[in-house]
Structures are given as C-alpha cells and as structure tokens.
Amino acid sequence: MNRQLYEKLIFDYSRPGRRGFFFNEGNAQMPSLPDGLLRQTPPQLPEVDEPTVVRHYNNQSTNNFGVDTGFYPLGSCTMKYNPKVNDLLASDPGFAAIHPKQPTATMQGALKLYYELQQSLSEIGGMSEFTLNPYAGAHGELTGLMVIHAFHDHNKDFARTKVLVPNSAHGTNPASAAVCGYEVVEVNSLPDGTVDVDDLRSKLDNTVAAMMMTNPNTVGMFEKHIPEIAEAVHAAGALLYYDGANLNPMLGIARPGDMGFDVMHINLHKTFSTPHGGGGPGAGPVGVRKGLEQFLPAPRVVKLADSSFDIDQHNDTALGRISSNLGNYAVLIRAWAYILTMGCDGLAHVGPLATLNANYVMHRLKDLYLLPIPGPCKHEFVFDGLIDKSTGVTTLNIAKRLLDMGFHAPTIYFPLLFHESLMIEPTETESLDTLDTFCDAMRQIAVEAIDSPEVVKEAPHLTPAVRPDDTEAALHPIVTYSELCNQ
C-alpha cells in the first residue's frame, strides 16, 4: 500500500509549536489522578491550528460517497434519497432528548408515533401486528425466524430443524437461519431466476420449519408462483417468511400478507428512505399474520382504553426480548415522517416509478451489457458483465471506472447465479436526467473496454485512493499514522 495514494493526513500539517488553543492552567481546577493512570511519555499528537483542523476534516468528508453527493444504484439495497424533513423531525428536542426510562406519561407523543407506525406497517405489509424493536434488516430476519422457532416449539413440533432458502437469496438469509439454529437447505432456481417449485416440493417434509423468500427476488423478477408455493409450504406444516429487502417496488401494488406470507421484516432504512450507509443506523421491524402475535418480542407499545399509550414490558412470550428498549427510535421517526409525507397516494406511486426507472436503464444498456434474464424486471436487474468480453475487462473494472465519472458502483458479483454480476437498482427518486447521465457513462465504459481497455482496467484515476489491495487491507489494516509512514 503506497502512501502516495492518500491525501494529506492531519499529521502532515503538524508544525512544532503550532497551537489551536491555549489552556490557562492558572484558573483551572485540575483533577487529581492516581500515578498509575498517568502517562509516562507525552502522546504523539499533531501540532496544528484550529482552521487547519476544520478544513482538513471537511475536505476529508467530501471523499465519502452517499446519496446526497451522487447517484448510488446499489442493487438489492435500495439506496434512495432521504428527505431532509425526516432529519429535521428526528432532531426535534422533543424526540432527541427523550429518555427511554422516563415515565410514559411524559412521552405520550413519542409513543403515539411508535404505535401509529406499527399500525401503518401492518396495513402496508398485510400483517396483523408489527414489532419495531429489531435494529437492522438482518436482525429482523433473525427475530422473524425466532418467532417461527417459538411457534413450532409452542406446538411441540420439535422435529422441524430445517429452513429452505433459494440459491438466489440474500446472504443474510442462510446466515440468519444458521444463527437461529436451523439447518439450511438450498432450493434451486429456474433459468428466469424464480424458485423451482418442483425442487421445492421435493424438499418439503415434516422437518422443515420455514421457507424464506424475497419477492421480487434478488434478480429483480417477480415470483409469480407465490400462491402455489405458499400452499405447498403450509400443507407441509411450515411457515413462509418474507425478506422485505425488496419491498420498495411492491408499495401500493401488493402486500406480502395477502400472498400467503406468515412472517416478514421490513428494512425501514431502505423502503422508507432513512439513511443506512456505513453499516447503520437501521431498523428491521417484524410483522406476523393473525395467530402469531403472541410470539413477538417485548417490549411493545400498546394503546389503552382511555386512548393513552403505554409500554408493555412483559416477557412471558415464547420469544422474549431481542433488543433494549424500543429499537432505533430516530430511524423510526424518519420512516414515519416519510409515510406521512407520501400518504397513501404517494406510496402507491413508489413501486411503479421504481420499476419504470429500472426497466428504462436496462433497455438503454442491454445492447452492450449481457442480460441473462430477458423480459421486464421490477425494481432492479442484473447484467452478466459486458457482452464483448474479448479484452478481458471485468465487472470489477467497470465498477472502478464508474468512480471516475462521479457514480457509486452498482452491486457487483452478486447474486452468485452469474459469473460477472452487475446489479443495478435506480430507485424511484432519481430523475430522467440522472439516469441518462449514468447510462451515458456506462455506454462510454463499454466503448473504452474495446478501444482502450487499459484505461478501464487501471481505473479509478481520479480518486484519492486508486486500487488498494482489498484482501491485504482486510487482513492487515493500517490503523496508525506511524504504520502508514513505514509503507
């Protein structure tokens, strides 16, 4: 790893004797510390003035890419724009300064918001009840599977030790099932990316606890055999789980509960616009159909007979508690603000617009990029790299070159169904101008791949860090300035 690949660090601005603040020790009451806690040598800190520090970190922050700085077509993750009114409401002191342990009588507005969001998600998902406690989508998956586990245990059906997962599923599906103690059984997909129902039927028996599905699926195709799948799964005594990562194109069009799903989670930080870059924050509420409510975790917000709200802290359900307090409340506020802003009519336009945008981009690029599954997609689609692979330009090269053109790369090498997967999801919040500019960039890269392939293979050329060794960075990260200087 070469130090020249990086912009200046704060230590590079250090000059002996330079200060940003002078502390008047004469007027200070210095705390007394035990000798064993005192440093024996002074810390190695940069000597810089305050304007330099402020400018340095502001400049560094512009190296971060997000939906506020550019188009982020990350397939399977729905990186849609987060309206700033959401942030404004979430930062209101009435919400931001609240304490989870204060008396419920002093936070009725916050509890009302929580309760009404539960009700709204139940209506949107076609479910009987929701818990908002899970901290993220994967946490929601685990919680949903724990609900299923609790259901079977309640019925003393202890032989159900397997969870069926399509081979096109998100990686969190088999991981969540394994963490929940289940054996994962893979179900094959057909050439069009949908579940092979015959293969599914051959694996259904009294040892199966649940089938996990995403609809539309990971390649952006609608699973048109859901009623048949639901009937087969239920006939075997198992439950059907809906991974809500791809709920965005379904808003206002269809509800998982109406399709026969028993348990689902919703990624609020995807479908309902709240930010989720950098690993968080997130929220993965879990909904259940009628008859499974008793297995949802506590605490829950309930509405009392006098129309006031309270927190039900009882943990006498089969599942119990899966998080502290009431989840990532600031994310929940943002999601509720989004739902109120959009309204029923607005939400009904999300799915069709997301689908329209995805199909537009797909049709503009399919003459240069290999489309393994033809036909209309939903919210996202997958290319299998370039059609012309003669110069050896890979999906990774394309992704790196896009950074030079001001775009974040789509998801690459997922799903694993295709060797050179390039997964694109434009969402409904991007304008036609943005989509055209992105398509023009993708077309330019395809031309460069034939006419000047080294330009693409050596990209990016314009970013602060160009082509670091990703494996080396993961195995041996450089975490101090002194380590960097020794490279």
Side-chain angles (χ1 to χ4, degrees):
M1 201 172 291
N2 193 320
R3 183 181 174 186
Q4 293 178 344
L5 300 179
Y6 295 84
E7 291 185 348
K8 279 188 174 183
L9 300 180
I10 192 64
F11 280 91
D12 293 313
Y13 295 103
S14 180
R15 299 292 182 271
R18 185 171 290 177
R19 295 287 186 272
F21 178 77
F22 291 91
F23 188 73
N24 188 343
E25 296 184 10
N27 297 329
Q29 295 182 354
M30 301 298 293
S32 177
L33 295 175
D35 291 341
L37 296 180
L38 296 176
R39 295 182 60 99
Q40 300 304 308
T41 58
Q44 293 183 333
L45 299 175
E47 299 183 63
V48 289
D49 56 273
E50 184 174 323
T52 297
V53 174
V54 172
R55 290 165 188 164
H56 169 72
Y57 283 107
N58 272 285
N59 289 332
Q60 287 292 308
S61 72
T62 62
N63 293 329
N64 292 330
F65 196 102
V67 291
D68 286 354
T69 59
F71 182 34
Y72 211 128
L74 203 63
S76 196
C77 274
T78 314
M79 295 290 282
K80 68 165 68 173
Y81 174 71
N82 173 52
K84 295 303 162 242
V85 66
N86 298 0
D87 294 334
L88 181 65
L89 291 173
S91 63
D92 184 279
F95 292 130
I98 205 168
H99 193 283
K101 298 300 184 182
Q102 69 188 64
T104 56
T106 66
M107 51 179 172
Q108 285 295 296
L111 296 181
K112 179 181 180 182
L113 183 153
Y114 195 99
Y115 180 81
E116 290 185 354
L117 180 56
Q118 288 178 160
Q119 300 300 108
S120 294
L121 295 181
S122 297
E123 178 65 26
I124 290 169
M127 293 287 161
S128 174
E129 189 170 339
F130 260 85
T131 174
L132 310 184
N133 293 2
Y135 291 130
H139 194 202
E141 283 182 22
L142 178 61
T143 302
L145 287 165
M146 291 171 69
V147 167
I148 291 171
H149 208 307
F151 167 76
H152 291 306
D153 287 350
H154 179 77
N155 293 330
K156 303 189 184 307
D157 200 350
F158 303 116
R160 298 188 180 276
T161 59
K162 300 175 183 177
V163 169
L164 305 184
V165 179
N167 61 1
S168 64
H170 295 116
T172 50
N173 286 184
S176 297
V179 170
C180 198
Y182 285 115
E183 176 188 347
V184 178
V185 179
E186 187 176 280
V187 178
N188 293 328
S189 297
L190 297 171
D192 65 358
T194 60
V195 169
D196 185 335
V197 180
D198 291 334
D199 185 55
L200 167 63
R201 289 185 184 278
S202 71
K203 294 169 179 174
L204 279 171
D205 57 30
N206 62 2
T207 66
V208 175
M211 166 77 172
M212 300 184 76
M213 292 191 68
T214 306
N215 194 29
N217 60 29
T218 305
V219 295
M221 305 303 289
F222 187 83
E223 293 280 357
K224 53 186 178 293
H225 298 298
I226 288 292
E228 182 181 353
I229 291 172
E231 182 180 1
V233 169
H234 291 149
L239 299 182
L240 193 58
Y241 180 88
Y242 181 82
D243 178 344
N246 292 350
L247 182 65
N248 201 53
M250 307 289 284
L251 288 183
I253 303 301
R255 306 190 307 175
D258 298 337
M259 300 178 194
F261 287 96
D262 303 289
V263 182
M264 68 176 292
H265 85 269
I266 294 178
N267 296 63
L268 291 190
H269 51 289
K270 294 182 181 182
T271 304
F272 296 100
S273 81
T274 66
H276 69 290
V286 170
V288 295
R289 51 99 168 146
K290 191 171 183 57
L292 297 176
E293 302 93 340
Q294 63 177 308
F295 303 112
L296 287 172
R300 284 186 280 177
V301 173
V302 295
K303 189 174 184 179
L304 304 179
D306 62 358
S307 294
S308 65
F309 300 91
D310 199 4
I311 301 175
D312 183 358
Q313 298 281 7
H314 295 297
N315 286 320
D316 55 358
T317 65
L319 177 54
R321 181 186 291 262
I322 53 91
S323 62
S324 60
N325 302 311
L326 293 170
N328 280 335
Y329 190 70
V331 175
L332 305 179
I333 296 170
R334 289 175 170 90
W336 184 221
Y338 175 81
I339 291 173
L340 287 180
T341 303
M342 297 291 285
C344 294
D345 292 340
L347 290 177
H349 282 87
V350 170
L353 285 175
T355 300
L356 176 64
N357 282 354
N359 280 275
Y360 177 76
V361 174
M362 180 182 72
H363 280 277
R364 275 214 58 192
L365 298 176
K366 67 179 183 179
D367 61 321
L368 295 173
Y369 292 85
L370 181 59
L371 185 64
I373 302 177
C377 63
K378 294 303 175 190
H379 60 306
E380 64 190 6
F381 60 92
V382 182
F383 285 132
D384 191 3
L386 290 162
I387 292 177
D388 188 342
K389 296 179 172 63
S390 61
T391 59
V393 170
T394 66
T395 285
L396 177 62
N397 299 146
I398 296 166
K400 296 288 189 183
R401 183 63 173 141
L402 270 171
L403 298 177
D404 284 334
M405 300 179 179
F407 297 104
H408 194 284
T411 300
I412 61 174
Y413 298 118
F414 179 80
L416 303 178
L417 295 175
F418 312 112
H419 185 63
E420 290 288 328
S421 289
L422 189 69
M423 192 178 190
I424 300 173
E425 180 180 0
T427 80
E428 78 285 356
T429 59
E430 299 299 337
S431 68
L432 179 61
D433 289 341
T434 298
L435 298 184
D436 279 334
T437 306
F438 173 74
C439 290
D440 291 342
M442 290 287 287
R443 296 188 69 83
Q444 178 182 328
I445 294 171
V447 172
E448 291 176 343
I450 304 304
D451 295 344
S452 50
E454 294 309 312
V455 171
V456 185
K457 291 180 180 180
E458 295 173 3
H461 306 278
L462 305 176
T463 53
V466 283
R467 296 185 74 91
D469 186 326
D470 295 335
T471 302
E472 179 68 16
L475 294 177
H476 305 288
I478 297 173
V479 295
T480 67
Y481 178 73
S482 58
E483 287 180 286
L484 182 61
C485 291
N486 292 328
Q487 299 302 305

